[in-house]
């Protein structure tokens, strides 16, 4: 049954070995797509008829925002799996996703600010979209802080998972804020359903960047989880063997 | 008239300036790049440090074992 | 599934549902406060308070922009398609400020319901296209001036629906 596959993830050693096989492919594909998307978006895609070149920030802002939101769901689902099935690796994923999510949320806010100045005329405005995005950053910080606050890892795991789950309500609010309320932020250009309001010549590099960011996210999450697994299992025989085998300072 | 897939800038200088929007665009690129590189480098460095600690611990344990093994030959009561 | 796990899963679902309902009720109660700006119809209807700092948003009516020769003073009308409000402002306008474009102005409504603005921000929409395409579609700036729309302050119904009538 599928449960066999599911429970494999309970083995840190199995995870470490498998992820070591996936990482070069993920990293290579992510690097390639990000390089193509960036050159395409910054130098090859046409300027916008109203915004000129400042719109090019979209190629960073939109993918970072997507991953900030999707990463929150990943973190919350990992927390739920940890709570229900008591799989330690799920908690590891949640903890690592919190750091990456916070970083990408910061990127989304920063790129939004430097895009806002030349277009709207301000770096910041307290509208529903931007404020709910700031709340997302604080939710990520909250999960990170709970790990700092508790000495006992099992208590920290549960508390962080609960906060992550409670915070999920914010994600659809962020997504729909521009439709539900009057905001300065414009509605989405890329839609899950319906046609995009970006011209095709501008949309294509954006899609490349979005896929590149997803792959980057996966690679960053795996790298971070591998380090966390080693920290947790440092007394284990397989980690000792790994450390001894890497006496020459080899990575990975 | 330029097609949708031509180089949009005449020169490197024009590319950096982006008709006045350069500082905003490049600030966004720089901050994003720094954050993304940090997200990859930080766990790699942490892993290297952790494994070095494990190795150091193993070396200490080996020295202790060697020391206790030497003692009987020296002056055991 | 193991009964214990099923039990824990129920708790997880309960936490998510309960917190969503709680936050949903709070945002519903605060929905008016969450709006960044008042629309002209709200201001004309007296929903917006006088002598309090607030924001007004809408589209700059074509042909309504008056600029002073000797200062940065500018006055214009904003509309939501139903009503218009006059905005007076002294200062630098954002690059994207233009007739027919949306703005959000911060200021105080005086007794005549004129917004004495201290900040004017441009609000752009979610469409992006190359200038050539915009020109071909008749949406370029120059083109727009050429085939002027009726200057009664109305703007395309499709656009209005998109931006304000939600």
């Amino acid at each position: 049954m599928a449960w066999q596959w599911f429970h494999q993830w309970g083995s840190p050693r199995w995870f470490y070995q498998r992820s070591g096989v996936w990482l070069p492919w993920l990293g290579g594909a992510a690097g390639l797509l990000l390089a193509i998307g960036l050159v395409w978006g910054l130098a090859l895609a046409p300027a916008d008829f109203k915004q000129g070149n400042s719109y090019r920030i979209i190629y960073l802002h939109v993918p970072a925002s997507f991953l900030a939101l999707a990463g929150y769901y990943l973190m919350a689902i990992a927390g739920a799996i940890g709570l229900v099935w008591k799989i330690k690796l799920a908690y590891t994923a949640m903890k690592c996703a919190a750091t990456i999510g916070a970083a990408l949320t910061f990127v989304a806010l920063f790129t939004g600010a430097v895009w806002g100045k030349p277009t709207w005329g301000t770096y910041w405005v307290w509208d529903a979209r931007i404020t709910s995005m700031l709340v997302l950053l604080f939710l990520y910080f909250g999960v990170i802080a709970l790990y700092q606050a508790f000495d006992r890892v099992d208590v920290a795991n549960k508390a962080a998972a609960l906060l992550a789950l409670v915070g999920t309500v914010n994600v659809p609010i962020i997504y729909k804020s521009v439709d539900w309320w009057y905001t300065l932020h414009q509605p989405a250009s890329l839609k899950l359903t319906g046609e995009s309001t970006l011209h095709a010549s501008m949309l294509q590099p954006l899609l490349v960047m979005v896929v590149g960011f997803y792959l980057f996210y996966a690679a960053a999450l795996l790298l971070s989880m591998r380090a966390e697994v080693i920290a947790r299992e440092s007394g284990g025989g397989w980690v000792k063997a790994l450390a001894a085998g890497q006496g020459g300072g080899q990575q990975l | 008239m330029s097609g949708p897939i031509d180089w949009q800038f005449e020169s490197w200088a024009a590319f950096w300036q982006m008709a006045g929007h350069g500082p905003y665009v490049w600030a966004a690129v720089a901050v994003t790049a720094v954050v993304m590189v940090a997200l990859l480098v930080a766990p790699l460095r942490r892993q290297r440090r952790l494994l070095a600690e494990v190795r150091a611990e193993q070396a200490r344990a080996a020295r202790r074992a060697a020391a206790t093994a030497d003692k009987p030959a020296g002056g055991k009561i | 599934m193991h009964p214990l796990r099923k039990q824990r899963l129920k708790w997880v679902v309960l936490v998510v549902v309960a917190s969503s309902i709680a936050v949903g009720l709070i945002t519903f109660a605060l929905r008016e406060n969450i709006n960044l700006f008042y629309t002209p119809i709200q201001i004309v209807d007296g929903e917006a308070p006088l002598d309090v700092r607030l924001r007004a948003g809408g589209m700059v009516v074509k042909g309504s922009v008056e600029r002073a020769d000797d200062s940065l003073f500018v006055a214009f009308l904003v509309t939501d398609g139903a009503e218009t409000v006059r905005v007076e402002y002294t200062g630098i306008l954002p690059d994207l400020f233009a007739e027919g474009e949306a703005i959000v102005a911060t200021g105080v409504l005086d007794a005549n319901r004129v917004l004495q603005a201290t900040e004017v921000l441009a609000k752009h929409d979610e469409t992006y296209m190359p200038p050539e395409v915009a020109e071909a579609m008749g949406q370029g700036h120059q083109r727009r001036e050429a085939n002027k729309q009726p200057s009664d302050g109305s703007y395309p119904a499709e656009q209005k629906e998109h931006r304000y009538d939600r």
Side-chain angles (χ1 to χ4, degrees):
Chain A
M1 201 173 138
W3 292 112
Q4 187 57 42
W5 178 85
F6 191 70
H7 285 289
Q8 255 179 339
W9 290 89
S11 160
R13 186 181 183 181
W14 176 86
F15 166 77
Y16 189 89
Q17 286 168 345
R18 295 311 304 164
S19 60
V21 175
W22 300 333
L23 260 172
W25 296 100
L26 268 179
L32 189 68
L33 286 183
L34 290 177
I36 293 173
L38 205 58
V39 172
W40 194 350
L42 291 182
L44 290 166
D48 180 58
F49 73 126
K50 279 184 193 158
Q51 300 185 28
N53 288 308
S54 64
Y55 102 95
R56 296 182 192 280
I57 296 174
I58 202 173
Y59 297 110
L60 303 167
H61 180 72
V62 164
S65 309
F66 272 20
L67 265 301
L69 297 188
Y72 195 90
Y73 274 136
L74 186 143
M75 179 178 81
I77 290 168
I81 291 172
L83 284 176
V84 174
W85 282 276
K86 306 279 172 199
I87 294 175
K88 277 189 192 160
L89 195 65
Y91 284 131
T92 305
M94 175 181 70
K95 187 180 176 185
C96 295
T99 311
I100 302 170
L104 290 176
T105 308
F106 168 77
V107 167
L109 287 170
F110 181 87
T111 53
V114 291
W115 190 6
K117 186 64 183 170
T119 48
W120 302 338
T122 184
Y123 287 107
W124 188 268
V125 64
W126 292 99
D127 81 353
R129 168 56 73 81
I130 299 167
T131 308
S132 57
M133 202 65 187
L134 188 65
V135 169
L136 185 79
L137 183 64
F138 290 148
L139 283 169
Y140 277 127
F141 282 164
V143 170
I144 295 168
L146 283 174
Y147 274 100
Q148 307 293 323
F150 289 103
D151 289 331
R152 283 183 48 192
V153 177
D154 55 335
V155 180
N157 280 337
K158 279 184 194 163
L162 275 177
L163 177 62
L165 284 168
V166 169
T168 51
V169 61
N170 190 38
V171 177
I173 289 179
I174 295 172
Y175 186 71
K176 297 300 282 182
S177 55
V178 286
D179 299 326
W180 287 345
W181 297 293
Y182 297 135
T183 56
L184 187 60
H185 196 288
Q186 69 282 7
S189 299
L190 270 185
K191 296 177 187 72
L192 289 177
T193 54
E195 212 173 317
S196 150
T197 52
L198 254 91
H199 188 261
S201 58
M202 301 160 151
L203 176 65
Q204 287 152 4
L206 183 58
L207 294 179
V208 172
M209 285 303 278
V210 169
V211 176
F213 263 72
Y214 266 94
L215 294 175
F216 163 84
Y217 183 93
L221 184 65
L222 288 183
L223 274 179
S224 174
M225 285 175 69
R226 282 158 66 85
E228 184 72 23
V229 160
I230 285 181
R232 221 178 56 200
E233 302 269 318
S234 58
W238 70 273
V239 174
K240 285 180 180 158
L242 185 74
Q246 291 184 359
Q250 277 286 307
Q251 267 318 130
L252 293 179
Chain B
M1 178 164 155
S2 61
I5 195 98
D6 286 330
W7 294 105
Q8 296 293 313
F9 299 96
E10 307 265 304
S11 64
W12 282 104
F15 186 44
W16 298 132
Q17 282 162 12
M18 289 210 170
H21 289 151
Y24 304 108
V25 175
W26 293 113
V29 172
V31 167
T32 306
V34 166
V35 170
M36 288 173 80
V37 168
L39 283 175
L40 298 180
V41 169
L44 281 173
R45 288 177 55 144
R46 182 178 181 215
Q47 176 167 338
R48 187 182 303 202
R49 202 186 64 233
L50 287 166
L51 289 178
E53 280 169 16
V54 171
R55 267 197 303 280
E57 179 58 37
Q58 281 170 331
R60 268 198 300 279
R63 271 200 304 277
R64 266 200 304 275
T68 44
D70 284 350
K71 268 185 185 157
K76 191 170 191 262
I77 309 162
Chain C
M1 208 193 294
H2 193 282
L4 188 62
R5 286 177 190 149
K6 198 170 254 176
Q7 186 69 24
R8 291 197 293 243
L9 186 61
K10 276 183 194 159
W11 275 107
V12 164
V13 172
L14 186 72
V15 164
V16 173
V17 170
S19 56
S20 300
I21 291 173
V23 173
L25 288 174
I26 292 169
T27 45
F28 183 73
L30 296 175
R31 64 195 179 284
E32 284 307 316
N33 304 46
I34 296 172
N35 284 327
L36 182 71
F37 54 84
Y38 290 95
T39 56
I41 193 165
Q42 288 175 308
I43 292 170
V44 171
D45 285 354
E47 277 181 51
L50 302 182
D51 300 324
V52 175
R53 243 174 81 89
L54 54 79
R55 289 195 181 90
M59 194 162 111
V60 179
V61 176
K62 284 172 203 245
S64 73
V65 179
E66 307 162 14
R67 293 174 197 266
D69 296 331
D70 53 348
S71 72
L72 290 171
F73 177 84
V74 59
F76 51 89
L77 299 175
V78 292
T79 180
D80 52 10
E83 293 290 350
T84 58
V85 161
R86 185 179 161 88
V87 176
E88 294 181 356
Y89 172 67
T90 303
I92 295 166
L93 291 164
D95 292 348
L96 289 188
F97 177 92
E99 297 185 355
E101 300 293 334
I103 60 104
V104 175
T106 310
V108 176
L109 282 175
D110 67 17
N112 302 321
R113 295 199 190 281
V114 171
L115 187 78
Q116 300 296 334
T118 52
E119 184 183 46
V120 174
L121 303 177
K123 176 173 161 60
H124 62 82
D125 66 10
E126 70 279 25
T127 41
Y128 303 84
M129 61 182 95
E132 305 91 82
V133 177
E135 221 164 293
M137 289 172 65
Q139 288 202 24
H141 284 301
Q142 309 89 330
R143 271 300 174 89
R144 193 176 284 190
E145 292 313 307
N147 48 14
K148 248 189 178 139
Q149 286 161 2
S151 57
D152 59 354
S154 70
Y155 53 97
E158 170 255 335
Q159 222 172 348
K160 183 175 89 187
E161 181 186 27
H162 231 82
R163 285 183 188 165
Y164 298 105
D165 291 2
R166 40 178 85 104

